[in-house]
Amino acid sequence: MMIDPGASETAAVADINGDGKPDIVSGEYWYEGPKWIKHKFREINFTNNYVDDFSDLPLDVNGDGRIDIVSCAWFGRRLWWSENPGKSAGLWKDHPIETRFPVEFAFLVDLVNDGKPHEILPEFGDAKAPLTWYEARGGEFVPHVVADHSFGHGIGAGDVNGDGRTDIVTPSGWFEAPADPRTGAWKFHPDFQLGETGFIHVLDVNGDGRPDLVTSLAHNYGVFWMEQTAQGTWTKHVIDDSWSQPHSLVIADLNGDGRPDLVTGKRYMAHNGRDPGEREPLGIYWYESFKTPSGSIEWVKHLIDYGSRAGGGMQVTVARLEPGPHPDVLVGGKSGLFLFKPR
């Protein structure tokens, strides 16, 4: 179902008004569940055919018990958070986090290894921008610099070497987390070149006990995984390269079998028609893996939607918005905000 025909490319789920029911957040608006009543809570610039907001991350930044929203902008060159005022009327107050560089996207990850994904990991669109993660502390964000520059289009986090610490993954290699991620030195391993990706997930795809990588080419054709071998090398395996612009890819158990699936979709007009395959039909898909008798991994592609105006945008979110055996899929995009419920 279409929630909004607008052009916001973000899609997040959180209980904004504290009534115990999930709401939807996208760009300038939040939508009160379960009827998705539209509320404007801030103003965001529209430029170059984009709503200048490329991630909406729900987080109680100041510890007041209300969910705030952390967002990022490319053209406005900012990472910021919008403070939830509770029942007070009017627009929310914006607080800057970083204002020097364009931000392609950002994610909530667990970088202090406390089991809570409360740290902000942005992907800056400027090679001169230091690779930095941000920790919320007392209503402010503390920056932690990992390297003095950035490493291309794409970012990710997960335990790559199995030591129990969350590492940072870039398209050009991965940073090994120190014992103290706040003050220690992060060791870089230039083990691969992935290309221009979206978020890079760490997941043991084939069950051999070694963490692998799962990602997609954000502005080209290709969803793929990188197998970590016993020798410490990496082997690329294509999952699907029949469609382009899989900018957002998430891992979730969509069919309830206890195994992780991949959910993604084709972003609509990511670069206003200049990217490969941008004018081809939109689609939302999920992929289910299984192991063959020979031990290799195969993937089954399932359609959620194809050929309508629903695309993957900058955020694909999987969450239970209403009681049921399986989660829902929420997608934003220049062509609208859509909610897909399992049949």
Side-chain angles (χ1 to χ4, degrees):
M1 64 179 291
M2 178 185 283
I3 303 295
D4 195 308
S8 176
E9 296 193 78
T10 58
V13 172
D15 181 7
I16 296 299
N17 57 357
D19 65 355
K21 301 174 183 177
D23 307 304
I24 293 172
V25 180
S26 183
E28 295 182 325
Y29 302 95
W30 70 276
Y31 304 82
E32 183 179 351
K35 295 184 178 180
W36 315 124
I37 300 170
K38 187 176 181 179
H39 303 270
K40 184 171 184 177
F41 72 101
R42 58 184 178 176
E43 294 183 346
I44 296 174
N45 192 32
F46 182 84
T47 181
N48 293 277
N49 295 320
Y50 298 89
V51 175
D52 197 14
D53 173 21
F54 294 98
S55 297
D56 285 336
L57 310 177
L59 179 69
D60 181 4
V61 175
N62 53 6
D64 63 0
R66 295 188 291 264
I67 295 296
D68 310 299
I69 300 297
V70 179
S71 301
C72 63
W74 176 271
F75 299 97
R77 304 170 75 89
R78 64 176 181 145
L79 180 68
W80 83 97
W81 67 282
S82 299
E83 183 178 358
N84 186 341
K87 295 181 180 180
S88 302
L91 300 180
W92 298 15
K93 182 179 180 180
D94 288 347
H95 302 267
I97 302 172
E98 173 60 71
T99 59
R100 295 174 294 170
F101 310 105
V103 188
E104 176 81 14
F105 45 65
F107 299 91
L108 286 171
V109 296
D110 175 18
L111 287 172
V112 299
N113 305 300
D114 63 357
K116 302 174 183 178
H118 287 173
E119 288 71 58
I120 307 298
L121 181 63
E123 190 261 278
F124 293 116
D126 185 336
K128 298 186 293 294
L131 175 58
T132 307
W133 60 274
Y134 299 83
E135 179 182 12
R137 191 183 300 169
E140 302 289 338
F141 277 91
V142 179
H144 299 280
V145 176
V146 174
D148 63 2
H149 65 283
S150 292
F151 290 80
H153 192 304
I155 200 78
D159 185 3
V160 176
N161 57 355
D163 64 357
R165 304 170 188 162
T166 303
D167 308 302
I168 293 175
V169 188
T170 81
S172 302
W174 62 283
F175 280 91
E176 181 178 348
D180 187 340
R182 297 181 177 94
T183 61
W186 293 68
K187 181 180 179 181
F188 185 58
H189 300 266
D191 292 350
F192 42 72
Q193 290 290 333
L194 303 180
E196 294 188 343
T197 72
F199 189 78
I200 306 164
H201 298 271
V202 179
L203 176 71
D204 183 3
V205 173
N206 54 4
D208 63 0
R210 291 184 294 272
D212 308 301
L213 307 178
V214 181
T215 191
S216 57
L217 294 178
H219 295 283
N220 213 314
Y221 292 85
V223 178
F224 62 98
W225 68 284
M226 299 288 292
E227 180 183 1
Q228 185 174 187
T229 69
Q231 293 75 35
T233 59
W234 298 83
T235 302
K236 182 176 181 178
H237 301 273
V238 174
I239 298 171
D240 190 358
D241 60 1
S242 65
W243 57 277
S244 70
Q245 318 301 309
H247 207 292
S248 176
L249 181 148
V250 298
I251 294 177
D253 180 9
L254 213 60
N255 57 358
D257 65 356
R259 301 171 63 245
D261 307 305
L262 314 182
V263 188
T264 184
K266 181 181 178 68
R267 186 181 175 196
Y268 178 61
M269 289 291 156
H271 282 157
N272 294 327
R274 299 190 302 273
D275 281 348
E278 259 191 83
R279 300 181 187 276
E280 295 170 357
L282 297 175
I284 311 294
Y285 313 97
W286 70 278
Y287 296 85
E288 176 184 13
S289 68
F290 66 93
K291 184 173 286 190
T292 68
S294 66
S296 64
I297 298 297
E298 298 287 345
W299 298 83
V300 178
K301 179 181 181 179
H302 301 272
L303 294 182
I304 297 175
D305 188 70
Y306 181 78
S308 75
R309 60 180 289 172
M314 291 296 292
Q315 278 184 293
V316 174
T317 295
V318 177
R320 278 185 170 83
L321 296 179
E322 294 179 359
H326 303 300
D328 308 307
V329 176
L330 180 70
V331 296
K334 289 182 179 180
S335 55
L337 176 66
F338 294 85
L339 175 63
F340 294 93
K341 294 183 174 295
R343 296 174 181 174

